[in-house]
Amino acid sequence: MRSSLLFPRIKHARAVRAPHAPAVPVRNRMNGVCVPPSDSLVEYAAYIGGKKIDALGIPDALELVRTHNAAEEKGNAFVWVGLHEPDAPEVEWLAEVFALHPLAVEDAVKAHQRPKVERYGDSLFVVLKTVAYLDHDVLTATSEIIGTGEIMVFVGPDFVVTVRHGKHCPLSEVRERLEDKPKLLNRGPTGVLHAIADHVVDKYLSVADLMQAELEDVEAMVFADVSARDIGRIYNLKREMIEMKRSVTPLQSPMSTLAQRRMIPSEMREYFRDVVDHLARVCEQVESSNELCNSILQAALARSNALANEDMRKISSWVAIMAVPTMIAGIYGMNFDHMPELKSVFGYPIVIGVMVIACSLLYRGFRRNGWM
């Protein structure tokens, strides 16, 4: 359900206020809670018995879920609210509805957090870094290859609130996959958390594979028989690999402890351990790719120095060859009266012949030694 259905009074309030008047929170008469204008609400719904149930508002959806769970012995009904880059008033309103911890709410609004898993009372706050491979027609030394974002997940006994920052890794695919399989929805909020974590880690794997292929192309370029070495592109890859490492590696420890928390049902722990295994594979691949990038950068610098030395040898060889006729011409240009072969008829051909023979011998020697 979209935000236009959730906040009808807010839409009316926007229509009547002055064009430059600031947005003022509107008080919902049904529950007496301050409801701010929201354009960041992606979707929300109640999930009961593995089915999606639409509600008039988030408080109504939460009331339906809690009524159902109170009547059932093992009720797995929950509310899932998805936000994309919300403002502080929107998250604070949700914090009042779901009793979220203020510190977690502050982190969700500010973003730019390290991957972590924290417990506040009977709820979990999980921060996941998202990565995406940005495809380019032509890669340059300034092209951004890895795009990053964040997903904050509040998980309670009967609710899931996801706050996404960045345009990468949308959760619509996860929501649709869960809605198509009621068995997955019956796992409850922890099942949603597992699906989100699994989706994010799968993106890690695909991006790591694409970066590995990019590094292999650059490695082939470095050792090709060409004189050009794009050091800037290699350094850019190195920088992007560091960015990916900073996004992926810190998540390994929190995810390992998540599977052991008491809030995670025993039947769900093996699913989280599977995510941890995939994440460990990603971390190993990122680490090896980072080391390979270091080796490629060093090899490229060494090859550039070797090519520069080779060019200097060629230049020095030609300078040595040209020094012979320059020396002879300089000696015979001193205009002394008594010089060998100066009055001879064959003097000029003899001097030219000596120049040619000497230059030919030098060229042959340099060629044999690989200098030319």
Side-chain angles (χ1 to χ4, degrees):
M1 184 174 294
R2 301 296 175 182
S3 58
S4 60
L5 299 179
L6 178 62
F7 303 131
R9 294 185 177 84
I10 295 168
K11 297 295 183 182
H12 176 72
R14 286 179 176 176
V16 298
R17 88 170 173 259
H20 301 288
V24 179
V26 179
R27 186 166 297 277
N28 190 321
R29 298 175 183 175
M30 295 178 60
N31 50 29
V33 179
C34 188
V35 181
S38 176
D39 292 326
S40 63
L41 182 65
V42 178
E43 192 170 359
Y44 79 96
Y47 296 91
I48 301 176
K51 296 182 180 179
K52 179 180 179 181
I53 307 297
D54 292 331
L56 295 177
I58 295 176
D60 294 333
L62 186 60
E63 183 178 356
L64 288 174
V65 164
R66 289 179 174 173
T67 301
H68 178 271
N69 289 341
E72 297 288 336
E73 183 178 355
K74 291 184 177 180
N76 288 329
F78 62 94
V79 178
W80 185 358
V81 180
L83 300 174
H84 179 236
E85 297 184 350
D87 296 327
E90 302 168 21
V91 184
E92 290 170 359
W93 178 80
L94 287 176
E96 295 180 6
V97 175
F98 295 103
L100 305 179
H101 197 278
L103 292 178
V105 172
E106 182 180 359
D107 290 344
V109 173
K110 290 184 177 180
H112 303 292
Q113 304 294 320
R114 282 177 57 87
K116 60 183 178 181
V117 176
E118 295 181 351
R119 178 179 177 180
Y120 296 100
D122 59 351
S123 64
L124 288 175
F125 178 62
V126 182
V127 178
L128 304 171
K129 284 283 189 179
T130 60
V131 298
Y133 183 84
L134 306 180
D135 198 8
H136 299 273
D137 295 333
V138 178
L139 280 176
T140 63
T142 59
S143 298
E144 185 180 1
I145 303 175
I146 299 295
T148 59
E150 295 175 39
I151 296 179
M152 285 82 165
V153 187
F154 297 89
V155 182
D158 48 19
F159 66 86
V160 177
V161 178
T162 56
V163 180
R164 185 167 61 91
H165 292 271
K167 60 183 179 180
H168 312 296
C169 199
L171 297 178
S172 57
E173 180 182 343
V174 178
R175 189 185 289 265
E176 292 172 0
R177 179 165 57 87
L178 291 176
E179 291 176 354
D180 292 339
K181 297 180 179 180
K183 183 179 179 181
L184 298 179
L185 284 175
N186 278 329
R187 295 174 180 172
T190 54
V192 176
L193 176 60
H194 166 263
I196 294 173
D198 187 60
H199 178 68
V200 171
V201 173
D202 285 344
K203 290 292 184 181
Y204 290 167
L205 285 170
S206 62
V207 173
D209 290 338
L210 291 172
M211 287 296 293
Q212 183 72 25
E214 186 69 28
L215 285 173
E216 291 175 356
D217 292 341
V218 173
E219 184 180 20
M221 177 196 71
V222 168
F223 293 101
D225 283 335
V226 293
S227 58
R229 297 289 177 267
D230 195 350
I231 303 297
R233 181 184 174 189
I234 301 172
Y235 182 78
N236 187 34
L237 280 175
K238 171 64 177 176
R239 182 180 59 196
E240 297 296 313
M241 287 302 306
I242 293 176
E243 181 68 22
M244 185 172 181
K245 183 178 179 180
R246 291 170 56 187
S247 301
V248 173
T249 305
L251 182 60
Q252 193 169 14
S253 177
M255 285 300 298
S256 299
T257 60
L258 179 61
Q260 304 172 2
R261 290 182 177 268
R262 289 180 296 177
M263 293 186 61
I264 304 298
S266 56
E267 64 272 11
M268 289 298 302
R269 293 179 181 177
E270 59 184 9
Y271 292 96
F272 283 100
R273 284 195 292 267
D274 181 67
V275 175
V276 172
D277 291 339
H278 291 173
L279 182 60
R281 174 191 163 190
V282 174
C283 292
E284 292 174 358
Q285 186 171 350
V286 169
E287 186 64 32
S288 61
S289 298
N290 190 39
E291 293 178 359
L292 177 61
C293 194
N294 288 335
S295 302
I296 292 175
L297 183 59
Q298 293 175 2
L301 293 173
R303 287 280 291 175
S304 297
N305 292 333
L307 289 173
N309 292 335
E310 184 178 349
D311 293 339
M312 289 302 299
R313 286 198 303 266
K314 291 180 179 179
I315 295 173
S316 301
S317 300
W318 283 111
V319 169
I321 292 174
M322 297 304 298
V324 174
T326 302
M327 180 188 66
I328 297 176
I331 292 174
Y332 276 87
M334 289 187 292
N335 298 322
F336 290 112
D337 291 335
H338 304 286
M339 296 183 67
E341 306 297 334
L342 192 62
K343 303 296 184 178
S344 174
V345 178
F346 301 101
Y348 180 75
I350 291 174
V351 171
I352 294 299
V354 170
M355 291 182 182
V356 172
I357 293 173
C359 291
S360 300
L361 291 175
L362 288 174
Y363 179 83
R364 182 180 178 183
F366 291 143
R367 186 80 174 180
R368 181 179 299 175
N369 292 330
W371 284 37
M372 300 186 68

